[in-house]
């Protein structure tokens, strides 16, 4: 299939990109194109104007400090996957990125694009929700920071408004003595997961928190009880059935994967 006709702009700076988006509220940002282009080709979206940010070099930056990692809107998933300093501060990113699709898709797909797309079956929105990430958004009105827990609104729907560009996402470091892990189950390696769990465990207090993907309309974050966390997760998720799995099977996976994720997070050196 071919996409419907659209106007294409290729700004060189964030300011130019924001001005183009402000002038045309129906314009969409084009980043890696790994989700948007299939939607256009299948005629599930038909924006009249694509603002292609691939030439905006200032958005292609990763900043790592002891407090966390700021990922610019043009940073490819494969680039962050190989960034040892970022992985050290945010091990969950290093765990989750290899689970996103296939290397060829991660070579083009951006970390921020995955979050802006807001797919509840995607790994990076779940990691962002679990860690309490912040989404930085620019528009003609200025800059605003939106916490991940209010950014994801519904499947493929976020707090982004027309005319807005996500410029970066801030992933805070986990506190010391906190173990982390991501586990998931998909039918084939690289497919979207039927269910996935990203978890943090405080090894001193035992406090456990997990974010679920593929089993709720948005990434679902739960503070898990020490007694039967898997059962609590199964009772809390809201999975849908599709051609890949029944809702009951996905709920069962939430139980099993919760136990595995917590064990892996506790054992992490
Ligand atoms: C075969 C296949 C398998 C996949 N499997 C997985 C998987 O297992 N797990 C997973 O998580 N993902 C998967 N993906 C999706 C992939 O991770 C995409 O790269 C990602 O979802 C979108 O990133 P992108 O940079 O390609 O964004 P694009 O496709 O360019 O954009 C996606 C959406 O986000 C918006 N957007 C992008 N950047 C910005 C921005 N800076 N500001 C505002 N809006 C923006 C666009 O307007 C568009 O609506 C798969 C994709 C394919 C094709």
């Amino acid at each position: 299939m071919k996409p419907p006709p659209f106007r294409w702009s290729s700004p060189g700076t964030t300011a130019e990109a924001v001005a183009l988006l402000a002038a045309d509220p129906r314009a969409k940002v084009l980043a890696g194109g790994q989700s948007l282009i299939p939607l256009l080709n299948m005629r599930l979206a038909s924006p009249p104007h694509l603002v292609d940010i691939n030439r905006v070099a200032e958005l292609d930056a990763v900043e790592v400090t002891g407090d966390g990692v700021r990922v610019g809107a043009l940073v490819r998933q494969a680039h962050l996957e190989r960034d040892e300093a970022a992985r050290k501060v945010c091990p969950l990113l290093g765990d989750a990125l290899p689970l996103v699709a296939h290397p060829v898709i991660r070579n083009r797909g951006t970390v921020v694009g995955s979050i802006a797309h807001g797919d509840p079956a995607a790994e990076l929105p779940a990691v962002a929700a679990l860690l309490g990430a912040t989404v930085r958004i620019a528009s003609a009105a200025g800059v605003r920071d939106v916490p991940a827990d209010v950014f994801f609104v519904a499947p493929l729907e976020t707090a982004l408004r027309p005319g807005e560009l996500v410029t970066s996402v801030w992933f805070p470091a986990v506190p010391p003595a906190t173990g982390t892990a991501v586990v998931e189950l998909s039918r084939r390696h690289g497919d979207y997961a039927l269910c996935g769990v990203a978890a943090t465990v405080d090894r001193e207090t035992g406090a456990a928190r997990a974010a679920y993907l593929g089993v709720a309309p948005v990434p679902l974050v739960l503070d898990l009880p020490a007694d039967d966390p898997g059962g609590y997760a199964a009772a809390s998720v809201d999975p849908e059935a599709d051609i890949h799995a029944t809702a009951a099977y996905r709920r069962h996976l939430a139980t099993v994967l919760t136990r595995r994720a917590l064990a892996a997070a506790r054992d992490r050196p």
Side-chain angles (χ1 to χ4, degrees), residues 3-11 20-21 24 26-31 33 36-37 40 45-53:
F6 54 83
R7 180 184 156 208
W8 175 75
S9 303
S10 178
L20 285 159
L21 289 167
D24 191 348
R26 290 176 62 212
K28 289 290 267 181
V29 174
L30 175 65
L36 184 55
I37 296 298
L40 299 186
S46 50
H49 183 184
L50 296 188
V51 177
D52 182 342
I53 59 170

Side-chain angles (χ1 to χ4, degrees), residues 21 27-39 50-51 53-54 59 72-77 99-102 105-106 108-119 121-125 160 164-168 184 186 190-193 213:
L21 289 167
K28 289 290 267 181
V29 174
L30 175 65
Q34 298 303 299
S35 295
L36 184 55
I37 296 298
L39 286 176
L50 296 188
V51 177
I53 59 170
N54 283 276
L59 295 177
L74 206 49
V75 174
R76 310 290 171 185
Q77 294 157 1
L99 301 174
V100 176
H102 306 279
I105 290 165
R106 299 199 294 273
R108 285 299 294 173
T110 62
V111 173
V112 167
S114 173
I115 287 168
H117 189 52
D119 189 329
E123 288 80 5
L124 296 174
L160 268 179
E164 290 190 323
L165 171 74
V166 180
T167 52
S168 66
E184 65 175 36
S186 54
D191 280 6
Y192 278 103
L213 55 109

